Amino acid sequence: MAIVTGWVAFVVTVATIACIYGLLTIGLNLQFGFTGLLNFGHVAFFAAGAYTAAIVSMPPPGTVPGARYMIGLAVPMPAGLLLTLAAATLMGGVLAALIGVSAIRLESHYLAIATFALAGIFYDVLVNERWLTNGTFGMTQVPKPLRATLGADAWALAYLLFAAATLAVVYLLVGRLLEAPFGRVLRGVRESTAAAEMLGKDTDRIKLVAFSLGGAIAGLAGGVYAHYIGSVVTGQFVAGVTFTVWAALLLGGVASHRGAVVGAFILVAFQQSTRFITTAYDAAVAAFPDTLGVVLTALAAPLPGHPAFLPSVRFMIIGLLFILVIRFRPAGVLGDPQEVTVMGSEE
Amino acid sequence: MARTILTVDGLTKRFGGLTAVDAAHLTVPEGQITGVIGPNGAGKSTLFDCITGITAPDAGSVRLGETELVGRAPHAIAHAGVGRTFQTPRIFEGMTVRENMAFAAVAQTGESVVGALARPGAVAAEEAETDARVDELLAFLTLDPLATAYAGELSGGQRKLLELGRVLMLDPTVLLLDEPLAGVNPTLGATIVDRLEALRTDGRTIVLIEHDLELVMRLCDTVVVLHHGATLAAGPPSVIRADPQVIDAYLGRMET
Amino acid sequence: MVDLSGLAQALTFGLIEASVIALGAVGLTLSYGVTRFINFAYGEFLAWGAFTVVFLVAIAPALPLPLAVAVAVVAVGFMGVAVSGAFFEPIADRGGLPLLITSIGVAFVLRYLLVAIASTDARSLPVPLQRPVEWMGVGLTPVQAVVIGVAALAMLAIHGVLQYTTLGTVMRATSGNRELATVAGIDTEAVVRRTWVISAGAAALAGVLYTVLYAPVRPTFGFGYLIIIFAATLLGGIGRPYGAMLGAVLIGVTISVGSAYLSPAYDQAYAFIVLVVVLLVRPEGIRRGTF
């Protein structure tokens, strides 16, 4: 019975994280898939949202032992959830706008490096400005709304529904935008900024809007994440997150709105599956020590035993994903090859 | 005497040691087709680039009516009424012909985030209007059978027509066409010329760069000759054709 | 009143770090010259260089360190060729963007292959712990002096290859215009391969020197250091080896002076800021000329 409940809990966790990554991927798709802006710093917007939600909802520093941070606005839950998420979304958008204002005109390679560098600076700020972020110790008392009332299992399910609903709403809104002239303008700008300018479109402003919107959605994802995990720590916002979202986007299909969400789900399921593999392995060896167990142990024997092994293999596979998708199926699973070939055609 | 729509005065552009445009001047009369000719490297495309804001000139002015264009962003100049096509058409290959045309529709409510999300009624109405206008222009350019084809599949001549159509969506005060017939097969070329004449009958002002001198002499009301970036001569074809300086510059390339 | 000896010390540290950055930047810029894309996997060659030496020293402790380093540099050089042949050359005709994105994937594969083999433990090299020697008012350990010396020699060697050998001439021709070079009869594929050997080899050496200076290091250090190398490369103008050397000195000094006089918590961030400013203001770099 424990295995079944364990299973359900696992699926609920994976699905919730997948919804959050779905939001992140939609945001990146808006920036790169539809507008052609190469953003290698997406995690910064995610972090901005998460930390904002934390700062707005955390208890004041006086009440938390060992707190180095100085701002905790302690907005009450669950009513305050709307406020923290709105603040998170806004902060993601503002950070993106600030970065975008200067970087938006850079040619793609340079934009990639600039966004990567800016995310790096942002990370350093998060680590060093302890008065704001509590440094590497993190903000660990982010409230989980209604957790006490519902209890662990019911809350997990309820939060999944909440995250899924958020994803659905954003998905629909962005979908509407993409079908409207807004989407058409983005696609034209993506293919040829010069042609778009010649047709009277203010391409700088359009790119800035798309970039900021993508950042805002990432900020929202950060807020949802903060209240789910209940703690916001610098270690959660490393470059690996940016490139996991990229992997999701490439796999699902660049410039495919559905693809972004599908890619996110596949990738998160894959990521979380390594946890599952170790648990399944242990369970199998324990349940069948003389038959399957022997075989499995023998297979595992030559592999390095250090704990970083499985996660490394996971990351290697993600790396291979990048390589294989670009080489053999640039449109990913659901993308339109027609749309993908024109990307970067102005080079 | 036709009204002057566009005036280029003393326009100069240098690239390092090379003077591409040398105090060029140009007066574009309304409702006529003005041809800009000159040997290769005479600065014709650069002149267009300066007028449309792609390149910032080092000196000189460009006036559309009373408005000074130099120093403004390309999209603002397009908005002010200057439509321009390129030697190699910069159409959006990943979009259909219809989408290419619709892209150019001006000041759409649906282009802003707020408009697209909060005002579906207005967006739908404007889209319908745009669609009607697109249909009209596609028919005018004989491109209507290709409306749903991807622009990437079009032939050279069809692309030129599409680019022309897109620019017409802006309802521009003056059209700058950079070699509208280059690399186009004769049949489509004849269609393009025919459409340009129809546009002139409609009262449109056109400036075109072309290398086919015979065509220019036949089609254009005024001809401007550029040489080494400077205006060598300007006037009706009959005058230009006989101008000794022009003949000199072309070294007998022209057939009288 | 500026504390002159403190400034001199900061400049010295900057110069020491600059020697590492310079090697890395020159290698990156050389390979950019012929392949024309920003290679995000470059940082991994530093880590592989460092850890190959760690590995060699672990299995053959009697092996003199310089020999182990030489072996590692050559091995990683050829690894560079293999990586290029397997992942980059097959899509070389697709343009810079697919190559750039692919290089992210390659970076992940290389980095986590190393982690899978070596774990995330931080390692060091058997370099003696020394006291700084006072020299003209600044303190410098013999090891640090050796690092500067080795880096300088390596760059001198690269300079020699570029200016005085056929390979160098051909590399410069190909980096100017690959299509034209092919038309002119140059075997550009061979040039690309040889450039990768030098490029990855330089990175490996840079990684070893980095480990000597800043041990212990984790196998993941390459990706983070990449930004610093980008900063130096772009400051000097991408594709220009001599510019890269100049850029490296400036970046090294910026980091060192910044940490000494502003906030020590931020060190690398100063390089990042320089990088962003360069990109926004003058992406073609500060050095005039083609090289």
Short mmCIF file of all heavy atoms in Angstrom, two decimals, chain B residues 1-6 25-38 44 48 175 177 200 204-210 212-226 231-241 246:
data_model
loop_
_atom_site.label_atom_id
_atom_site.label_comp_id
_atom_site.label_asym_id
_atom_site.label_seq_id
_atom_site.Cartn_x
_atom_site.Cartn_y
_atom_site.Cartn_z
N MET B 1 2.23 72.11 -63.28
CA MET B 1 3.46 71.77 -62.55
C MET B 1 3.08 70.95 -61.33
O MET B 1 2.31 71.39 -60.48
CB MET B 1 4.13 73.09 -62.12
CG MET B 1 5.62 72.93 -61.81
SD MET B 1 6.54 72.08 -63.09
CE MET B 1 7.66 71.15 -62.11
N ALA B 2 3.62 69.74 -61.28
CA ALA B 2 3.25 68.85 -60.17
C ALA B 2 3.87 69.32 -58.85
O ALA B 2 4.95 69.89 -58.81
CB ALA B 2 3.71 67.43 -60.48
N ARG B 3 3.13 69.05 -57.80
CA ARG B 3 3.61 69.39 -56.46
C ARG B 3 4.80 68.50 -56.13
O ARG B 3 4.85 67.34 -56.54
CB ARG B 3 2.45 69.11 -55.50
CG ARG B 3 2.57 69.61 -54.11
CD ARG B 3 1.19 69.56 -53.46
NE ARG B 3 0.81 68.20 -53.13
CZ ARG B 3 0.86 67.70 -51.90
NH1 ARG B 3 1.32 68.42 -50.92
NH2 ARG B 3 0.47 66.46 -51.68
N THR B 4 5.74 69.02 -55.35
CA THR B 4 6.87 68.18 -54.94
C THR B 4 6.53 67.46 -53.66
O THR B 4 6.13 68.07 -52.67
CB THR B 4 8.12 69.04 -54.70
OG1 THR B 4 8.41 69.75 -55.89
CG2 THR B 4 9.29 68.16 -54.33
N ILE B 5 6.67 66.16 -53.71
CA ILE B 5 6.32 65.34 -52.55
C ILE B 5 7.52 65.15 -51.65
O ILE B 5 7.43 65.21 -50.44
CB ILE B 5 5.83 63.96 -53.04
CG1 ILE B 5 4.37 64.04 -53.45
CG2 ILE B 5 6.02 62.89 -52.01
CD1 ILE B 5 3.38 63.83 -52.33
N LEU B 6 8.67 64.89 -52.26
CA LEU B 6 9.87 64.53 -51.50
C LEU B 6 11.05 65.32 -52.03
O LEU B 6 11.26 65.41 -53.24
CB LEU B 6 10.13 63.03 -51.64
CG LEU B 6 11.31 62.43 -50.88
CD1 LEU B 6 10.97 62.31 -49.41
CD2 LEU B 6 11.63 61.05 -51.43
N HIS B 25 21.11 65.60 -54.76
CA HIS B 25 19.80 66.23 -54.60
C HIS B 25 18.80 65.62 -55.56
O HIS B 25 19.15 65.09 -56.62
CB HIS B 25 19.86 67.76 -54.74
CG HIS B 25 20.54 68.19 -56.00
ND1 HIS B 25 21.88 68.44 -56.06
CD2 HIS B 25 20.06 68.42 -57.24
CE1 HIS B 25 22.20 68.82 -57.29
NE2 HIS B 25 21.12 68.80 -58.02
N LEU B 26 17.56 65.70 -55.15
CA LEU B 26 16.50 64.98 -55.84
C LEU B 26 15.17 65.62 -55.49
O LEU B 26 14.90 65.89 -54.32
CB LEU B 26 16.55 63.52 -55.34
CG LEU B 26 15.51 62.51 -55.80
CD1 LEU B 26 15.65 62.23 -57.28
CD2 LEU B 26 15.71 61.21 -55.03
N THR B 27 14.37 65.91 -56.52
CA THR B 27 13.02 66.43 -56.25
C THR B 27 12.03 65.45 -56.86
O THR B 27 12.11 65.17 -58.06
CB THR B 27 12.80 67.81 -56.92
OG1 THR B 27 14.04 68.30 -57.36
CG2 THR B 27 12.15 68.78 -55.97
N VAL B 28 11.14 64.94 -56.03
CA VAL B 28 10.19 63.94 -56.51
C VAL B 28 8.82 64.56 -56.70
O VAL B 28 8.18 64.97 -55.72
CB VAL B 28 10.10 62.77 -55.51
CG1 VAL B 28 9.11 61.73 -55.99
CG2 VAL B 28 11.47 62.14 -55.31
N PRO B 29 8.33 64.68 -57.95
CA PRO B 29 7.01 65.27 -58.19
C PRO B 29 5.90 64.28 -57.88
O PRO B 29 6.05 63.06 -58.10
CB PRO B 29 7.03 65.60 -59.69
CG PRO B 29 8.29 65.03 -60.23
CD PRO B 29 8.98 64.24 -59.19
N GLU B 30 4.78 64.81 -57.39
CA GLU B 30 3.66 63.97 -57.01
C GLU B 30 3.02 63.30 -58.21
O GLU B 30 2.96 63.87 -59.30
CB GLU B 30 2.61 64.83 -56.30
CG GLU B 30 1.45 64.05 -55.73
CD GLU B 30 0.44 64.96 -55.06
OE1 GLU B 30 0.39 66.13 -55.45
OE2 GLU B 30 -0.27 64.48 -54.18
N GLY B 31 2.57 62.06 -57.99
CA GLY B 31 1.79 61.39 -59.02
C GLY B 31 2.58 60.95 -60.24
O GLY B 31 2.01 60.58 -61.25
N GLN B 32 3.90 60.96 -60.13
CA GLN B 32 4.71 60.55 -61.28
C GLN B 32 5.63 59.39 -60.90
O GLN B 32 5.82 59.11 -59.73
CB GLN B 32 5.58 61.72 -61.76
CG GLN B 32 4.79 62.87 -62.31
CD GLN B 32 5.72 63.95 -62.83
OE1 GLN B 32 6.93 63.74 -62.94
NE2 GLN B 32 5.17 65.11 -63.17
N ILE B 33 6.19 58.80 -61.94
CA ILE B 33 7.21 57.79 -61.69
C ILE B 33 8.57 58.42 -62.00
O ILE B 33 8.82 58.85 -63.13
CB ILE B 33 7.02 56.54 -62.57
CG1 ILE B 33 5.65 55.92 -62.28
CG2 ILE B 33 8.13 55.53 -62.29
CD1 ILE B 33 5.38 54.65 -63.07
N THR B 34 9.41 58.50 -60.99
CA THR B 34 10.75 59.05 -61.17
C THR B 34 11.75 57.91 -61.16
O THR B 34 11.75 57.10 -60.24
CB THR B 34 11.08 60.02 -60.01
OG1 THR B 34 10.07 61.01 -59.94
CG2 THR B 34 12.44 60.67 -60.22
N GLY B 35 12.60 57.88 -62.18
CA GLY B 35 13.59 56.82 -62.23
C GLY B 35 14.95 57.33 -61.75
O GLY B 35 15.32 58.47 -62.04
N VAL B 36 15.65 56.52 -60.98
CA VAL B 36 17.01 56.87 -60.55
C VAL B 36 17.95 55.89 -61.21
O VAL B 36 17.85 54.68 -61.01
CB VAL B 36 17.16 56.79 -59.02
CG1 VAL B 36 18.60 57.06 -58.61
CG2 VAL B 36 16.23 57.77 -58.34
N ILE B 37 18.82 56.40 -62.05
CA ILE B 37 19.75 55.51 -62.74
C ILE B 37 21.18 55.95 -62.48
O ILE B 37 21.43 57.05 -61.97
CB ILE B 37 19.49 55.48 -64.25
CG1 ILE B 37 19.68 56.88 -64.85
CG2 ILE B 37 18.08 54.95 -64.55
CD1 ILE B 37 19.60 56.88 -66.38
N GLY B 38 22.10 55.10 -62.85
CA GLY B 38 23.52 55.43 -62.70
C GLY B 38 24.32 54.16 -62.76
O GLY B 38 23.79 53.08 -62.49
N LYS B 44 23.03 54.58 -55.53
CA LYS B 44 21.56 54.63 -55.59
C LYS B 44 20.91 53.96 -54.37
O LYS B 44 20.03 54.55 -53.74
CB LYS B 44 21.07 53.98 -56.88
CG LYS B 44 21.80 54.49 -58.12
CD LYS B 44 21.19 53.96 -59.40
CE LYS B 44 21.47 52.48 -59.64
NZ LYS B 44 22.89 52.23 -59.91
N PHE B 48 18.67 55.48 -51.08
CA PHE B 48 17.42 54.96 -50.52
C PHE B 48 17.57 54.67 -49.04
O PHE B 48 16.69 54.95 -48.23
CB PHE B 48 16.99 53.69 -51.28
CG PHE B 48 16.11 53.94 -52.47
CD1 PHE B 48 16.08 55.18 -53.08
CD2 PHE B 48 15.32 52.93 -52.99
CE1 PHE B 48 15.28 55.41 -54.19
CE2 PHE B 48 14.51 53.14 -54.10
CZ PHE B 48 14.48 54.39 -54.69
N LEU B 175 6.47 55.84 -52.86
CA LEU B 175 6.99 54.47 -52.90
C LEU B 175 8.41 54.50 -53.44
O LEU B 175 8.66 55.01 -54.53
CB LEU B 175 6.15 53.62 -53.85
CG LEU B 175 4.85 53.06 -53.34
CD1 LEU B 175 3.98 52.60 -54.51
CD2 LEU B 175 5.11 51.88 -52.42
N LEU B 177 11.15 52.08 -54.82
CA LEU B 177 11.29 50.69 -55.25
C LEU B 177 12.71 50.46 -55.74
O LEU B 177 13.15 51.10 -56.69
CB LEU B 177 10.29 50.39 -56.38
CG LEU B 177 8.83 50.75 -56.08
CD1 LEU B 177 7.94 50.43 -57.28
CD2 LEU B 177 8.33 50.02 -54.84
N ARG B 200 0.32 54.63 -60.92
CA ARG B 200 0.51 56.04 -61.30
C ARG B 200 -0.82 56.67 -61.69
O ARG B 200 -1.13 57.80 -61.33
CB ARG B 200 1.51 56.16 -62.44
CG ARG B 200 1.59 57.61 -62.95
CD ARG B 200 2.62 57.80 -64.02
NE ARG B 200 2.54 56.83 -65.09
CZ ARG B 200 3.50 56.65 -65.98
NH1 ARG B 200 4.60 57.37 -65.92
NH2 ARG B 200 3.36 55.73 -66.92
N ARG B 204 -0.48 57.61 -57.39
CA ARG B 204 0.63 57.29 -56.50
C ARG B 204 1.93 57.91 -57.00
O ARG B 204 2.14 58.04 -58.19
CB ARG B 204 0.84 55.78 -56.43
CG ARG B 204 -0.29 55.08 -55.74
CD ARG B 204 0.16 54.53 -54.42
NE ARG B 204 -0.96 53.89 -53.74
CZ ARG B 204 -1.27 54.14 -52.48
NH1 ARG B 204 -0.58 55.00 -51.80
NH2 ARG B 204 -2.29 53.52 -51.92
N THR B 205 2.81 58.24 -56.07
CA THR B 205 4.13 58.75 -56.41
C THR B 205 5.14 57.62 -56.25
O THR B 205 5.20 56.99 -55.20
CB THR B 205 4.53 59.90 -55.48
OG1 THR B 205 3.47 60.86 -55.46
CG2 THR B 205 5.82 60.54 -55.94
N ILE B 206 5.91 57.39 -57.30
CA ILE B 206 6.86 56.28 -57.25
C ILE B 206 8.25 56.76 -57.63
O ILE B 206 8.42 57.54 -58.57
CB ILE B 206 6.44 55.17 -58.24
CG1 ILE B 206 5.07 54.62 -57.85
CG2 ILE B 206 7.46 54.05 -58.26
CD1 ILE B 206 4.49 53.68 -58.88
N VAL B 207 9.25 56.29 -56.87
CA VAL B 207 10.65 56.50 -57.26
C VAL B 207 11.25 55.11 -57.41
O VAL B 207 11.14 54.29 -56.50
CB VAL B 207 11.44 57.26 -56.16
CG1 VAL B 207 12.86 57.52 -56.62
CG2 VAL B 207 10.74 58.54 -55.80
N LEU B 208 11.84 54.85 -58.55
CA LEU B 208 12.44 53.52 -58.68
C LEU B 208 13.87 53.56 -59.19
O LEU B 208 14.26 54.42 -59.96
CB LEU B 208 11.57 52.61 -59.53
CG LEU B 208 11.08 53.00 -60.91
CD1 LEU B 208 12.14 52.80 -61.98
CD2 LEU B 208 9.88 52.12 -61.27
N ILE B 209 14.65 52.61 -58.70
CA ILE B 209 16.02 52.40 -59.16
C ILE B 209 15.95 51.25 -60.16
O ILE B 209 15.34 50.23 -59.88
CB ILE B 209 16.95 51.98 -58.01
CG1 ILE B 209 17.08 53.09 -56.98
CG2 ILE B 209 18.33 51.60 -58.55
CD1 ILE B 209 17.89 52.68 -55.77
N GLU B 210 16.52 51.44 -61.31
CA GLU B 210 16.52 50.35 -62.28
C GLU B 210 17.76 50.40 -63.15
O GLU B 210 18.35 51.45 -63.36
CB GLU B 210 15.27 50.41 -63.18
CG GLU B 210 14.22 49.33 -62.88
CD GLU B 210 14.78 47.92 -62.82
OE1 GLU B 210 15.73 47.61 -63.59
OE2 GLU B 210 14.28 47.11 -62.03
N ASP B 212 17.61 48.63 -66.24
CA ASP B 212 17.13 48.49 -67.61
C ASP B 212 16.79 49.88 -68.15
O ASP B 212 15.70 50.40 -67.93
CB ASP B 212 15.89 47.57 -67.62
CG ASP B 212 15.38 47.32 -69.03
OD1 ASP B 212 15.79 48.03 -69.96
OD2 ASP B 212 14.57 46.39 -69.17
N LEU B 213 17.78 50.48 -68.84
CA LEU B 213 17.63 51.88 -69.25
C LEU B 213 16.47 52.08 -70.22
O LEU B 213 15.77 53.09 -70.16
CB LEU B 213 18.93 52.37 -69.89
CG LEU B 213 20.12 52.35 -68.91
CD1 LEU B 213 21.40 52.73 -69.63
CD2 LEU B 213 19.84 53.29 -67.75
N GLU B 214 16.27 51.13 -71.09
CA GLU B 214 15.18 51.27 -72.07
C GLU B 214 13.84 51.38 -71.34
O GLU B 214 13.00 52.21 -71.65
CB GLU B 214 15.20 50.05 -72.99
CG GLU B 214 14.69 50.35 -74.39
CD GLU B 214 14.14 49.11 -75.06
OE1 GLU B 214 14.79 48.04 -74.93
OE2 GLU B 214 13.07 49.23 -75.68
N LEU B 215 13.70 50.48 -70.35
CA LEU B 215 12.47 50.48 -69.56
C LEU B 215 12.28 51.79 -68.84
O LEU B 215 11.19 52.37 -68.83
CB LEU B 215 12.51 49.33 -68.54
CG LEU B 215 11.39 49.36 -67.52
CD1 LEU B 215 10.09 48.89 -68.17
CD2 LEU B 215 11.71 48.48 -66.32
N VAL B 216 13.37 52.27 -68.23
CA VAL B 216 13.29 53.52 -67.48
C VAL B 216 12.85 54.66 -68.38
O VAL B 216 11.97 55.45 -68.05
CB VAL B 216 14.66 53.85 -66.83
CG1 VAL B 216 14.71 55.27 -66.32
CG2 VAL B 216 14.95 52.87 -65.71
N MET B 217 13.43 54.72 -69.56
CA MET B 217 13.07 55.79 -70.49
C MET B 217 11.61 55.70 -70.90
O MET B 217 10.93 56.70 -71.09
CB MET B 217 13.97 55.75 -71.73
CG MET B 217 15.45 55.98 -71.44
SD MET B 217 15.76 57.60 -70.70
CE MET B 217 17.37 57.38 -70.00
N ARG B 218 11.11 54.46 -71.03
CA ARG B 218 9.73 54.25 -71.46
C ARG B 218 8.75 54.60 -70.34
O ARG B 218 7.70 55.20 -70.56
CB ARG B 218 9.53 52.77 -71.84
CG ARG B 218 9.11 52.56 -73.26
CD ARG B 218 8.74 51.12 -73.59
NE ARG B 218 9.50 50.07 -72.96
CZ ARG B 218 8.94 49.16 -72.14
NH1 ARG B 218 7.66 49.19 -71.88
NH2 ARG B 218 9.69 48.21 -71.59
N LEU B 219 9.09 54.15 -69.13
CA LEU B 219 8.12 54.17 -68.03
C LEU B 219 8.12 55.48 -67.24
O LEU B 219 7.07 55.94 -66.79
CB LEU B 219 8.42 52.99 -67.09
CG LEU B 219 7.57 52.79 -65.85
CD1 LEU B 219 6.13 52.48 -66.24
CD2 LEU B 219 8.14 51.64 -65.02
N CYS B 220 9.30 56.07 -67.06
CA CYS B 220 9.40 57.17 -66.10
C CYS B 220 9.07 58.53 -66.69
O CYS B 220 9.35 58.80 -67.86
CB CYS B 220 10.81 57.22 -65.51
SG CYS B 220 11.26 55.69 -64.69
N ASP B 221 8.50 59.37 -65.85
CA ASP B 221 8.20 60.74 -66.26
C ASP B 221 9.43 61.64 -66.09
O ASP B 221 9.66 62.57 -66.85
CB ASP B 221 7.05 61.30 -65.41
CG ASP B 221 5.84 60.41 -65.49
OD1 ASP B 221 5.28 60.28 -66.58
OD2 ASP B 221 5.48 59.81 -64.43
N THR B 222 10.18 61.34 -65.03
CA THR B 222 11.41 62.10 -64.76
C THR B 222 12.52 61.10 -64.52
O THR B 222 12.29 60.02 -63.97
CB THR B 222 11.27 62.96 -63.50
OG1 THR B 222 10.05 63.69 -63.56
CG2 THR B 222 12.44 63.93 -63.36
N VAL B 223 13.73 61.45 -64.96
CA VAL B 223 14.87 60.56 -64.72
C VAL B 223 15.95 61.34 -64.00
O VAL B 223 16.26 62.48 -64.36
CB VAL B 223 15.42 60.00 -66.04
CG1 VAL B 223 16.65 59.14 -65.78
CG2 VAL B 223 14.35 59.18 -66.76
N VAL B 224 16.51 60.75 -62.97
CA VAL B 224 17.63 61.37 -62.24
C VAL B 224 18.84 60.47 -62.44
O VAL B 224 18.75 59.25 -62.26
CB VAL B 224 17.32 61.49 -60.74
CG1 VAL B 224 18.51 62.01 -59.97
CG2 VAL B 224 16.09 62.37 -60.54
N VAL B 225 19.97 61.07 -62.79
CA VAL B 225 21.18 60.27 -63.00
C VAL B 225 22.16 60.52 -61.87
O VAL B 225 22.53 61.68 -61.61
CB VAL B 225 21.85 60.62 -64.35
CG1 VAL B 225 23.03 59.70 -64.59
CG2 VAL B 225 20.83 60.51 -65.48
N LEU B 226 22.57 59.44 -61.22
CA LEU B 226 23.59 59.55 -60.16
C LEU B 226 24.92 59.04 -60.69
O LEU B 226 24.96 58.04 -61.41
CB LEU B 226 23.20 58.73 -58.94
CG LEU B 226 22.11 59.25 -58.02
CD1 LEU B 226 22.02 58.38 -56.78
CD2 LEU B 226 22.38 60.68 -57.61
N THR B 231 24.41 63.96 -58.01
CA THR B 231 23.40 64.07 -59.06
C THR B 231 24.05 64.67 -60.29
O THR B 231 24.52 65.81 -60.27
CB THR B 231 22.23 64.96 -58.58
OG1 THR B 231 21.74 64.46 -57.35
CG2 THR B 231 21.12 64.96 -59.61
N LEU B 232 24.05 63.89 -61.36
CA LEU B 232 24.69 64.35 -62.58
C LEU B 232 23.70 65.15 -63.43
O LEU B 232 24.03 66.18 -64.00
CB LEU B 232 25.19 63.13 -63.36
CG LEU B 232 26.12 63.40 -64.54
CD1 LEU B 232 27.36 64.13 -64.07
CD2 LEU B 232 26.50 62.08 -65.21
N ALA B 233 22.48 64.64 -63.50
CA ALA B 233 21.47 65.31 -64.33
C ALA B 233 20.10 64.87 -63.87
O ALA B 233 19.93 63.81 -63.27
CB ALA B 233 21.66 64.93 -65.79
N ALA B 234 19.09 65.69 -64.15
CA ALA B 234 17.71 65.33 -63.82
C ALA B 234 16.78 65.99 -64.81
O ALA B 234 16.97 67.15 -65.16
CB ALA B 234 17.38 65.78 -62.39
N GLY B 235 15.78 65.23 -65.26
CA GLY B 235 14.85 65.83 -66.22
C GLY B 235 14.06 64.76 -66.94
O GLY B 235 14.15 63.58 -66.59
N PRO B 236 13.26 65.15 -67.93
CA PRO B 236 12.48 64.15 -68.68
C PRO B 236 13.40 63.25 -69.48
O PRO B 236 14.52 63.65 -69.83
CB PRO B 236 11.60 65.00 -69.60
CG PRO B 236 11.98 66.42 -69.39
CD PRO B 236 13.03 66.51 -68.35
N PRO B 237 12.97 62.03 -69.80
CA PRO B 237 13.82 61.06 -70.48
C PRO B 237 14.46 61.58 -71.76
O PRO B 237 15.63 61.34 -72.02
CB PRO B 237 12.86 59.91 -70.79
CG PRO B 237 11.78 60.04 -69.78
CD PRO B 237 11.65 61.48 -69.45
N SER B 238 13.69 62.34 -72.55
CA SER B 238 14.23 62.82 -73.82
C SER B 238 15.45 63.71 -73.61
O SER B 238 16.43 63.62 -74.35
CB SER B 238 13.15 63.59 -74.60
OG SER B 238 12.56 64.55 -73.73
N VAL B 239 15.39 64.53 -72.58
CA VAL B 239 16.53 65.42 -72.28
C VAL B 239 17.73 64.62 -71.77
O VAL B 239 18.86 64.82 -72.21
CB VAL B 239 16.10 66.47 -71.21
CG1 VAL B 239 17.31 67.25 -70.73
CG2 VAL B 239 15.03 67.38 -71.77
N ILE B 240 17.46 63.73 -70.84
CA ILE B 240 18.53 62.93 -70.23
C ILE B 240 19.26 62.09 -71.29
O ILE B 240 20.48 61.99 -71.33
CB ILE B 240 17.95 62.00 -69.15
CG1 ILE B 240 17.40 62.83 -67.99
CG2 ILE B 240 18.98 61.00 -68.65
CD1 ILE B 240 18.44 63.62 -67.24
N ARG B 241 18.47 61.53 -72.14
CA ARG B 241 18.98 60.66 -73.18
C ARG B 241 20.02 61.38 -74.05
O ARG B 241 20.96 60.78 -74.55
CB ARG B 241 17.77 60.22 -74.01
CG ARG B 241 18.04 59.34 -75.17
CD ARG B 241 16.72 59.02 -75.82
NE ARG B 241 16.38 57.69 -75.40
CZ ARG B 241 15.16 57.22 -75.30
NH1 ARG B 241 14.13 58.00 -75.54
NH2 ARG B 241 14.96 55.99 -74.95
N VAL B 246 25.77 62.67 -69.43
CA VAL B 246 25.22 61.36 -69.07
C VAL B 246 25.78 60.29 -70.00
O VAL B 246 26.17 59.22 -69.57
CB VAL B 246 23.67 61.39 -69.16
CG1 VAL B 246 23.11 60.01 -68.96
CG2 VAL B 246 23.11 62.35 -68.13
#
